[in-house]
Amino acid sequence: MSKELGCIVRAWEITFRKSQTLVKKKTKSIFSTMSVAPTDDEPGPTAQTYHAEKILSNGDFYAGRWLKDLPNGHGKYLWTDGCMYVGEWSKGKPMGTGKFSWPSGATYEGDFKSGFMDGKGTFTGSSGDTYRGIWVMNLKHGQGIKSFANGDYYDGEWRRGLQNGHGRYQWRNGNHYIGKWRNGKINGNGTMIWSNGKRYDGYWEDGFPKGNGTFRWSDGSFYVGIWSKNPKEHSGTYYPSGSTDNNLDWDPQEVFDVDLNECMIYPCEKVSIYPSDKVVNQSGSEGECLQRDSIDSHSLESDVDGAKDGSVRNELEGSMDIQVQESDSKGNGQQQTRVQLKGQGVTISKGHKNYDLMLNLQLGVRHSVGRPAPASSFDLKASAFDPKEKIWTKFPPEGSKYTPPHQSCDFKWKDYCPVVFRTLRKLFNVDPADYMISICGNDALRELSSPGKSGSFFYLTHDDRYMIKTMRKAEVKVLIRMLPAYYKHVQGFKNTLVTKFYGLHCVKLTGTTQKKVRFVIMGNLFCSEHAIHKRFDLKGSSLGRTTDKPESEIDATTTLKDLDLNYIFRLQKIWFDEFCRQVDKDCDFLEQERIMDYSMLVGLHFRETSQRERGMPNGHHSGNCTPIGNGNHYGEPHSCLTRMDSSRWASTSLGINMEAKVEKTMRRSDWEGQLIGEPTGERYDVVLFFGIIDILQDYDISKKLEHAYKSMQYDPTSISAVDPKQYSKRFRDFVFKVFVEDT
């Protein structure tokens, strides 16, 4: 096969160079397909497959069975970036058995389903590491064996790409561990045996002994007690053996400082791009054609080989299920509640009223991000912020010199201040390729079920990383007006809590409608590996500040408001001090820009801390159990989909992934309009997410009239529409009562 493959590659290179020369001469047919005449079975009315060898319009090469405009059957596909797939296809997606290879030399050989590595397969990395085992949707998930490049070895269970469950890890120096794992770390009950005869049996947490455990020496002496990385929490008893060479002066901290230094877990090789991310160029259309069925058509219940594979698949699918479900398991007379959440919203598929708008948006963003631009520093010129700094681009369906052909309607695309937003993305450490894949990749956007109070619609990318909001013309003017100050503010304060803006655009439909849709692309605060169990939108005002849903319909996706708030948030001192400083800076900025009506969006993830969930022995658990009530279903973390590296979630910053505590509060029944209840002493461990949103409402004439009108009917301090200075003061006073230092 290697010889045949080499011939194919050389033929492709020669033909590709010829095709590039032809493309330069014939720009009008830049996206047409070059094809060798089929050898047999020409496609007729019955649309049968036939053998084809094609140089596609973007330079990709395919040889194999072909049906209509897509590979179907056995074939070989070579992308221009050097990736190659050889194996079975179904409707343009790898399906069945095959081999995918990367330019780095890495390979995967095994089962595929709808373009995903899914089933039994072997991945060999460019550095020589190897994984043989079960895959589900590109992730190691099930039983598998991993040989690391440094000589280490793991045989056991995997979940979402990380060691999780029971497994054995063998270090190249002879040390080995047998026991429980969680999220790639030793966690739970297990045994570590060193090559020099030392041994630890007991409980672990995040890779270190935690709780009850016994440490033994080869001479028979041992130490029994409570273990912790904090020396002050150590307590135990040393039992010497009968020999004279005893360890009477031994310190348990030596296990953490010395013995475990030899037992670091070797990281898995990062996959640069997954096979499911690669798009097949359809005949006669743009290379990055939009296909909408990559995940939707991926049947997670059919094509299951065996009951064990089915349970693994269902477990992973559960994290993508839009409905909250409960699965009960009995043990010790107790019941576990587990959540299975999917991203909110309705997928915009063909036939949706906004399908064409989504295609226009994705085509425009791809054009904007991919357009060549000179390297720019963070020190931007004043001209970059000029409101007249706009770029219009026409997108005719047949394509043009600068734009690809597409299946949507004729439209024009506008970029507002493109240099500024390109630099903002760089400032926020957004990788252009990842940004483009998130918004313009193979997957459709999701539309949230109802528009916001302002009438704006919200869309989420498939991986939850970005939110797209349609905007009124007045909001666009506000953002452009405040853009110089906004840029200076976010550049000066890396921990700012204000919304991160990544792009400002407009789609204008040509023809009789001349409809304009303006929208802004923002970061999604709740894109997290953790399920968000409660969410609050807080302004510090009381008029109309309660959810309009009946209590029976409130769930984890409901955004609650000020009068629904029944917690205060307790931050660690170092975070609380930074929080106070940053809220002051952000409110000063918004006040100076005459902005009001903003709010603090807060999301809570209640940690699983019951004894059964943590696997801790009786009497040893790290926190309180989570509260139970309407909409509070806790359990499995919600993972951002696709190829996001799980290690990125380990980082914590102000407002993102912060460990904290919340204390439940109770409002007095005789005090109507009380915003903050009395603390009850009932506390829970949480992961906290928060930020300041809706920062594009200035105090214009409409808000002044609203303030005057409502002030005649209600207490002026209770309404949202107030002068920016007064709004800022009220907002700070409220927030500093809700967020307090944990003592």
Side-chain angles (χ1 to χ4, degrees):
M1 175 178 282
S2 60
K3 184 176 180 181
E4 182 185 2
L5 198 59
C7 294
I8 290 290
V9 173
R10 285 193 294 274
W12 170 81
E13 290 174 344
I14 294 170
T15 315
F16 176 66
R17 284 194 291 268
K18 290 180 180 178
S19 68
Q20 295 304 298
T21 304
L22 185 62
V23 163
K24 292 178 181 179
K25 294 180 180 179
K26 300 182 178 181
T27 56
K28 289 186 179 180
S29 59
I30 189 170
F31 296 104
S32 63
T33 301
M34 296 181 60
S35 174
V36 179
T39 57
D40 58 358
D41 296 334
E42 274 295 331
T46 56
Q48 295 180 343
T49 62
Y50 63 97
H51 181 80
E53 295 182 5
K54 293 175 177 284
I55 296 294
L56 303 176
S57 58
N58 65 343
D60 293 350
F61 171 79
Y62 176 78
R65 305 303 296 176
W66 191 265
L67 177 64
K68 293 184 178 179
D69 293 328
L70 293 169
N72 199 80
H74 191 276
K76 306 168 187 174
Y77 196 106
L78 180 63
W79 286 269
T80 54
D81 63 1
C83 292
M84 178 182 286
Y85 172 76
V86 181
E88 298 299 318
W89 296 80
S90 177
K91 298 179 180 178
K93 295 181 180 297
M95 177 76 80
T97 57
K99 182 176 181 179
F100 189 93
S101 58
W102 286 262
S104 64
T107 61
Y108 168 84
E109 189 165 6
D111 296 334
F112 288 82
K113 289 187 178 72
S114 293
F116 292 87
M117 301 183 289
D118 199 303
K120 295 180 180 179
T122 299
F123 176 85
T124 303
S126 59
S127 59
D129 61 337
T130 302
Y131 170 83
R132 296 181 179 87
I134 305 299
W135 299 74
V136 174
M137 296 183 74
N138 292 334
L139 298 177
K140 308 176 189 73
H141 198 95
Q143 196 70 25
I145 299 172
K146 175 78 174 180
S147 299
F148 295 89
N150 71 334
D152 291 356
Y153 175 90
Y154 174 82
D155 184 357
E157 295 175 282
W158 298 75
R159 185 167 180 270
R160 295 179 183 171
L162 297 171
Q163 297 97 326
N164 203 99
H166 190 275
R168 173 192 174 98
Y169 194 101
Q170 177 86 37
W171 283 267
R172 61 179 177 178
N173 59 10
N175 300 342
H176 65 274
Y177 167 82
I178 304 173
K180 294 293 184 180
W181 295 73
R182 186 174 183 179
N183 295 332
K185 294 182 179 180
I186 298 172
N187 206 102
N189 196 14
T191 298
M192 176 77 76
I193 301 175
W194 283 264
S195 58
N196 59 10
K198 295 179 181 179
R199 173 179 179 138
Y200 172 83
D201 298 270
Y203 288 89
W204 300 73
E205 185 175 284
D206 291 335
F208 296 97
K210 177 74 172 181
N212 283 324
T214 302
F215 190 86
R216 306 175 188 273
W217 286 265
S218 57
D219 64 0
S221 57
F222 61 96
Y223 173 91
V224 179
I226 304 298
W227 295 75
S228 174
K229 289 180 69 176
N230 185 351
K232 295 180 181 179
E233 297 178 1
H234 280 308
S235 64
T237 305
Y238 174 77
Y239 296 90
S241 66
S243 70
T244 56
D245 186 19
N246 291 321
N247 300 290
L248 298 176
D249 297 329
W250 178 78
D251 183 355
Q253 193 65 26
E254 187 176 320
V255 174
F256 297 90
D257 297 339
V258 179
D259 295 312
L260 289 176
N261 281 338
E262 304 173 354
C263 303
M264 304 297 290
I265 307 302
Y266 198 77
C268 296
E269 179 174 333
K270 303 283 193 315
V271 178
S272 58
I273 188 168
Y274 290 116
S276 57
D277 295 328
K278 301 299 294 179
V279 181
V280 171
N281 182 32
Q282 288 180 302
S283 178
S285 64
E286 182 197 3
E288 293 177 316
C289 60
L290 300 173
Q291 299 181 33
R292 297 292 162 218
D293 56 351
S294 64
I295 286 185
D296 294 340
S297 66
H298 185 59
S299 173
L300 292 168
E301 281 107 7
S302 62
D303 308 323
V304 175
D305 301 324
K308 186 168 184 180
D309 282 0
S311 64
V312 169
R313 185 180 306 285
N314 292 334
E315 181 181 7
L316 185 60
E317 182 190 11
S319 68
M320 294 175 245
D321 192 354
I322 193 169
Q323 298 179 352
V324 176
Q325 304 172 349
E326 293 185 13
S327 59
D328 301 332
S329 59
K330 295 182 179 179
N332 301 326
Q334 298 179 355
Q335 176 178 321
Q336 279 186 322
T337 304
R338 188 173 87 150
V339 71
Q340 296 172 335
L341 291 175
K342 179 184 177 179
Q344 294 173 264
V346 177
T347 300
I348 305 177
S349 55
K350 197 164 187 177
H352 190 284
K353 63 178 182 179
N354 288 326
Y355 181 73
D356 283 347
L357 176 62
M358 180 188 70
L359 294 186
N360 297 346
L361 187 156
Q362 293 180 313
L363 286 164
V365 169
R366 183 188 290 118
H367 175 76
S368 300
V369 177
R371 184 172 53 233
S376 60
S377 67
F378 291 121
D379 186 16
L380 297 179
K381 297 179 180 179
S383 59
F385 299 93
D386 192 324
K388 296 180 181 179
E389 189 68 18
K390 309 166 189 175
I391 297 179
W392 279 103
T393 306
K394 292 182 179 180
F395 278 81
E398 68 275 11
S400 68
K401 184 177 180 180
Y402 302 104
T403 63
H406 57 86
Q407 299 176 353
S408 183
C409 56
D410 192 7
F411 71 97
K412 293 177 70 177
W413 173 263
K414 183 196 288 188
D415 283 318
Y416 296 89
C417 301
V419 175
V420 177
F421 285 102
R422 184 184 292 267
T423 311
L424 279 172
R425 294 194 294 270
K426 182 179 176 183
L427 184 66
F428 294 139
N429 296 316
V430 174
D431 180 79
D434 288 343
Y435 183 74
M436 196 184 301
I437 288 173
S438 291
I439 301 173
C440 317
N442 231 23
D443 300 278
L445 303 177
R446 302 196 309 273
E447 183 178 77
L448 297 190
S449 56
S450 60
K453 187 176 179 181
S454 64
S456 298
F457 282 85
F458 292 86
Y459 304 93
L460 282 171
T461 57
H462 69 97
D463 55 11
D464 287 341
R465 293 180 72 178
Y466 303 104
M467 180 174 286
I468 300 168
K469 175 190 175 186
T470 61
M471 302 180 73
R472 293 176 286 110
K473 186 176 182 179
E475 291 179 305
V476 173
K477 287 184 176 180
V478 171
L479 179 52
I480 293 176
R481 186 204 73 202
M482 65 185 285
L483 197 55
Y486 173 84
Y487 181 83
K488 182 179 179 181
H489 182 75
V490 298
Q491 186 182 26
F493 301 100
K494 66 176 183 178
N495 281 335
T496 181
L497 298 174
V498 299
T499 304
K500 290 181 170 62
F501 295 120
Y502 300 117
L504 183 62
H505 312 282
C506 175
V507 169
K508 180 181 179 182
L509 303 181
T510 58
T512 56
T513 59
Q514 294 287 309
K515 179 182 177 182
K516 286 185 179 180
V517 181
R518 304 168 183 87
F519 58 90
V520 65
I521 302 175
M522 308 175 289
N524 178 20
L525 184 63
F526 293 156
C527 178
S528 166
E529 67 174 344
H530 298 295
I532 303 298
H533 302 132
K534 285 260 188 190
R535 55 192 76 200
F536 295 93
D537 182 280
L538 306 173
K539 293 186 177 182
S541 59
S542 58
L543 183 62
R545 298 297 295 163
T546 184
T547 183
D548 54 3
K549 285 187 177 182
E551 187 174 353
S552 60
E553 295 181 14
I554 295 176
D555 59 21
T557 65
T558 303
T559 301
L560 305 171
K561 300 181 183 178
D562 299 69
L563 293 178
D564 306 309
L565 181 64
N566 57 344
Y567 296 103
I568 57 174
F569 312 118
R570 297 190 170 275
L571 307 181
Q572 299 171 15
K573 177 175 173 54
I574 187 171
W575 284 121
F576 178 72
D577 292 342
E578 177 62 26
F579 172 80
C580 292
R581 284 194 296 268
Q582 193 58 55
V583 168
D584 278 334
K585 295 294 184 183
D586 290 340
C587 286
D588 286 344
F589 158 68
L590 296 171
E591 183 182 328
Q592 290 167 8
E593 292 302 308
R594 302 287 294 168
I595 301 297
M596 44 79 65
D597 216 21
Y598 46 88
S599 54
M600 180 73 77
L601 184 64
V602 183
L604 303 178
H605 168 82
F606 290 88
R607 282 196 171 280
E608 301 173 335
T609 50
S610 68
Q611 293 178 17
R612 292 183 73 253
E613 287 171 328
R614 296 297 294 256
M616 303 294 283
N618 290 337
H620 298 287
H621 55 88
S622 63
N624 300 300
C625 298
T626 54
I628 299 298
N630 283 339
N632 295 330
H633 306 277
Y634 311 118
E636 296 302 321
H638 169 49
S639 184
C640 279
L641 306 181
T642 67
R643 60 190 185 93
M644 302 181 75
D645 176 16
S646 60
S647 64
R648 83 183 267 246
W649 301 114
S651 61
T652 299
S653 59
L654 186 65
I656 301 295
N657 205 42
M658 287 178 54
E659 293 191 5
K661 294 184 185 295
V662 296
E663 182 173 357
K664 205 159 190 178
T665 60
M666 186 73 69
R667 286 187 174 82
R668 290 167 48 182
S669 58
D670 60 342
W671 192 354
E672 186 177 351
Q674 180 187 17
L675 286 179
I676 304 173
E678 300 297 324
T680 63
E682 188 178 341
R683 299 187 182 187
Y684 308 103
D685 293 327
V686 298
V687 180
L688 204 57
F689 301 83
F690 54 83
I692 298 175
I693 64 169
D694 295 337
I695 64 170
L696 298 179
Q697 178 60 62
D698 64 346
Y699 194 54
D700 57 12
I701 186 63
S702 65
K703 286 297 178 181
K704 291 177 182 178
L705 291 173
E706 179 185 343
H707 173 78
Y709 175 74
K710 290 184 177 179
S711 295
M712 293 187 291
Q713 304 176 66
Y714 309 102
D715 177 3
T717 62
S718 69
I719 62 179
S720 179
V722 295
D723 176 86
K725 189 170 185 178
Q726 182 183 345
Y727 192 96
S728 173
K729 182 181 185 306
R730 184 181 65 188
F731 180 81
R732 290 188 232 202
D733 291 344
F734 172 71
V735 164
F736 292 148
K737 291 177 182 176
V738 175
F739 288 82
V740 298
E741 182 180 344
D742 186 25
T743 56

